[in-house]
Amino acid sequence: MTNRRLITAEDLYRLQVITSSEISPDGERVVFGVQRVERKTEKKFTNLWMLRLETGAAVPFTVGEHVDGKAHWSPDGGQLAFTSNRLDEKQAQLFVMPADGGEARPLTQMQGEFGEFAWSPKGTQIVCEFRKKDAEAVERDQDEQKKKLGVVSRRYTRVFYKLDNYGYLPQERMHLWLIDARTGRVRQLTDGAVYDETGPVWSPDGKELAFFSNRQPDPDFDPDRVELWVLEVRSGAVRKVETPTGPKAQASWSPDGKWIAYIGREGLNESWKPDGLWVVPADGSGPARCVSAAQDVFISASTINDVGGARQKPPVWSPDSSRLYVQAAYHGRTALWAFNTADGAKEAVVDVPGVVVEFSLDERHRRLAYTLGTLKDPCQVWVREMDGSRPERALTHLNQDWLKEIDLGTVEDVWFQGPDGNDLQGWIVQPPGMEAGRKYPCLVEIHGGPVTQYGYFFMHEFYYLAAQGYVVAFSNPRGGSGYGVKHAEAISNGRWGTADYTDVMAFSDLLAQKVYVDSQRMGVLGGSYGGYMTNWIIGHTQRFAAAVSMRSVSNFVSMWGSSDFNWWFQTELDGRAPYESIEVAWDRSPVKYLGSARTPTLVIHNEMDMRCDPEQGEQVYVALKKLGVDTELVLFPEEPHGLSRTGRTDRKIVRLKSISGWFDRYLKGKDGK
């Protein structure tokens, strides 16, 4: 027996999340952001910390009840630039601050939205993504009565007019701006009413900028035709660098100026395809090559958790322009690999049972700083000496003061055979203090996406449910990432609810055979695509004694046009709109099969979910009510699709307790066991 306590839903208030990290050019320091929650107001604040690598000492770099964004070191290491809302809660500005401490100086006085930004090689300028505030919004802000009354109406001509966790989109687009790093004087580099520019990166000589833009006549109806462009800073002249047709992002210019690397894939409307690592001559003199083509992996950071996910970083070139460092997701891990650009050979740099959330290298590549999350630790800053002179070491210890009090239980990693002889991976969280000879109720969790993966990453939800006395199991069925092209392609082109369903049921069979699982007391739950699968399951089997469907997809016919992705969801089916062919959309819709449902099901949805409109969950709830199946509906006001990850903490807690309470009702006896 252990005297450690069980994790609670309220422990979310104690959680500190690392939001960003970057090593200094000389490799002596790391600046990183830490988010915390103020319980009284439910507000989340982020401040910057400075870590000295030689001593391991971390001290606050910024303080205050505001949100400081990701910080970037100036090339000489003397300054840090970061966004902050410290002057106006609703309007962030770009600030610069001496790296040795002092006052943060506002560099900009712009009205609108900042995106990514980067210092010029000489440190005299900063390029940034910026979207101006709409003229109508500016006018409203200047008139107190109009400001008080708020928005009267919205009018759109574009088809992508809203975005989950953002809201209704402004009319202005994201463009590139140049900021003088000393005076703050700004110059707009690009413009256009139809397209955006993103991901600016400087050439080594500071004369050019590479960026991405979809410049089709109507990008919203051709969203994957993203192209790589180069802009001459002085003249403003823009040229396109020819690359294979398909989505792309995360550019990186080689130190010798000859190459541009990026992450992307070839093909249109095929989101299941793995992204690869590409290089192309910067002058456009030759074709782009996929350096990672020989590796059947996803060049992606994507591994799911609920306490601050992984962030895809642009590839990082070695100083001699011969290798590229990049994250790759496979078998429940997000690793850091180095690829030889000549022959595609890869070398594992950080490849452990865990997730490389973010990484950066100093100017001479003597040191690597990276943030690493594992099954038992949300995230810490680690450092590695690239010559191997010292072992990798964690230099932060966030959350350890309370996690050391807790018994999280045991996590078992399992590989098993799917119904088609396919290899599948899953994990089983055993309840803390599990008693030998006792059988426990079991919950099967299904991830969203579907093109992502569960893995070796801290999930507060899983540990919370295990602490309530459940075996909690999660796996990566076909349709997700991390296991190669064949695995991901299995449910493409209108095959949701086929191979993925049989894989989940095969995992359930494996769990039912465990000596500590009560096969008569099994529940199933999932959110988004996982909610889709939960809806699909209760319409196809009475195997589970209870279910929880969250922010789900239930009806592809009505989802067409109502999601922020609106028409694009037809690409997950047969490529046709419902008015062209309704058969596949309806055949793949769980509501078609709910007439067979008998499983008590809790339906959870968020009122500001623009990805899966609340009507998707409401249809399930009403159908089950009409059928006489036990069901309840829980709605969370103001929350977007990602409540479980980014939502207000008190609502996250109610969500967790709603889930456990529902399963307690149907999977536990009167004694609560």
Side-chain angles (χ1 to χ4, degrees), residues 424-441:
L424 294 167
Q425 186 179 20
W427 292 262
I428 305 171
V429 185
Q430 299 174 356
M434 191 168 73
E435 301 171 15
R438 178 181 161 190
K439 287 185 177 291
Y440 290 81

Side-chain angles (χ1 to χ4, degrees), residues 225-243:
R225 290 189 186 272
V226 179
E227 304 287 357
L228 175 64
W229 304 81
V230 170
L231 178 147
E232 186 181 38
V233 176
R234 182 180 293 275
S235 68
V238 174
R239 60 181 171 86
K240 184 171 72 172
V241 179
E242 292 296 335
T243 55

Side-chain angles (χ1 to χ4, degrees), residues 559-580:
M559 192 167 184
W560 193 93
S562 65
S563 169
D564 60 346
F565 285 0
N566 55 65
W567 71 269
W568 183 87
F569 270 102
Q570 71 190 53
T571 67
E572 294 285 346
L573 303 172
D574 64 348
R576 290 182 288 179
Y579 54 76
E580 296 174 310

Side-chain angles (χ1 to χ4, degrees), residues 4 19 55 62 88 133 220 239 241-242 248 260 366 400 478 491 508 531 540 567 577 607 640 645 649 662 665:
R4 289 183 291 171
T19 58
T55 65
T62 66
D88 182 342
K133 182 178 284 190
D220 290 358
R239 60 181 171 86
V241 179
E242 292 296 335
K248 51 188 70 74
I260 298 174
R366 294 184 304 114
Q400 297 308 297
R478 281 174 288 181
I491 64 169
S508 302
H540 285 79
W567 71 269
E607 292 181 7
R645 297 181 291 272
T649 304
W662 185 260
R665 186 187 307 180

Side-chain angles (χ1 to χ4, degrees), residues 240 281 315 381 393 395:
K240 184 171 72 172
V381 176
R393 57 201 186 276
L395 293 182

Side-chain angles (χ1 to χ4, degrees), residues 641-662:
H641 190 63
L643 163 65
S644 61
R645 297 181 291 272
T646 62
R648 211 172 78 179
T649 304
D650 58 345
R651 293 176 180 145
K652 293 170 70 174
I653 289 170
V654 171
R655 171 186 169 274
L656 288 171
K657 292 184 176 181
S658 298
I659 295 169
S660 61
W662 185 260

Side-chain angles (χ1 to χ4, degrees), residues 290-589:
C290 184
V291 174
S292 62
Q295 311 292 335
D296 191 11
V297 298
F298 284 72
I299 301 301
S300 167
S302 179
T303 304
I304 291 178
N305 80 342
D306 59 359
V307 293
R311 296 174 286 276
Q312 182 69 58
K313 297 288 292 180
V316 174
W317 289 89
S318 61
D320 64 359
S321 300
S322 67
R323 300 203 305 169
L324 284 163
Y325 297 87
V326 70
Q327 293 150 292
Y330 82 103
H331 295 182
R333 308 179 180 204
T334 296
L336 177 62
W337 290 345
F339 282 89
N340 185 302
T341 58
D343 59 13
K346 74 172 178 67
E347 172 192 350
V349 181
V350 180
D351 193 350
V352 298
V355 170
V356 176
V357 173
E358 199 167 32
F359 74 97
S360 57
L361 290 123
D362 66 15
E363 189 173 34
R364 292 188 290 165
H365 283 209
R366 294 184 304 114
R367 280 179 173 160
L368 164 73
Y370 59 100
T371 44
L372 179 72
T374 66
L375 277 169
K376 294 298 181 79
D377 191 337
C379 197
Q380 305 297 344
V381 176
W382 287 66
V383 65
R384 169 180 172 160
E385 309 294 331
M386 295 300 284
D387 62 4
S389 58
R390 294 177 65 182
E392 292 95 336
R393 57 201 186 276
L395 293 182
T396 59
H397 308 281
L398 295 177
N399 304 303
Q400 297 308 297
D401 57 337
W402 61 274
L403 278 175
K404 66 184 180 183
E405 305 170 355
I406 293 173
D407 183 357
L408 293 174
T410 301
V411 184
E412 179 187 0
D413 180 352
V414 296
W415 283 86
F416 60 101
Q417 288 285 297
D420 298 317
N422 51 309
D423 291 330
L424 294 167
Q425 186 179 20
W427 292 262
I428 305 171
V429 185
Q430 299 174 356
M434 191 168 73
E435 301 171 15
R438 178 181 161 190
K439 287 185 177 291
Y440 290 81
C442 178
L443 303 180
V444 179
E445 291 259 13
I446 307 173
H447 69 63
V451 188
T452 188
Q453 63 173 1
Y454 277 144
Y456 300 97
F457 214 180
F458 189 96
M459 281 284 290
H460 174 269
E461 177 180 317
F462 295 172
Y463 292 123
Y464 167 76
L465 293 173
Q468 307 308 303
Y470 293 97
V471 173
V472 180
F474 52 103
S475 68
N476 288 323
R478 281 174 288 181
S481 59
Y483 300 85
V485 172
K486 185 177 179 181
H487 182 95
E489 187 182 11
I491 64 169
S492 65
N493 196 30
R495 290 179 288 173
W496 284 27
T498 57
D500 45 1
Y501 170 70
T502 57
D503 285 355
V504 171
M505 298 310 294
F507 188 43
S508 302
D509 291 340
L510 179 148
L511 295 166
Q513 295 168 10
K514 295 290 184 180
V515 295
Y516 50 80
V517 168
D518 186 338
S519 62
Q520 301 304 305
R521 294 190 295 157
M522 296 181 69
V524 62
L525 68 160
S528 194
Y529 162 78
Y532 168 93
M533 285 300 299
T534 301
N535 297 336
W536 186 268
I537 285 168
I538 65 173
H540 285 79
T541 180
Q542 279 80 55
R543 169 74 173 274
F544 296 96
V548 177
S549 172
M550 298 171 283
R551 62 188 192 281
S552 71
V553 177
S554 68
N555 186 342
F556 274 122
V557 178
S558 64
M559 192 167 184
W560 193 93
S562 65
S563 169
D564 60 346
F565 285 0
N566 55 65
W567 71 269
W568 183 87
F569 270 102
Q570 71 190 53
T571 67
E572 294 285 346
L573 303 172
D574 64 348
R576 290 182 288 179
Y579 54 76
E580 296 174 310
S581 173
I582 203 170
E583 287 77 18
V584 175
W586 182 239
D587 191 55
R588 294 298 95 193
S589 295

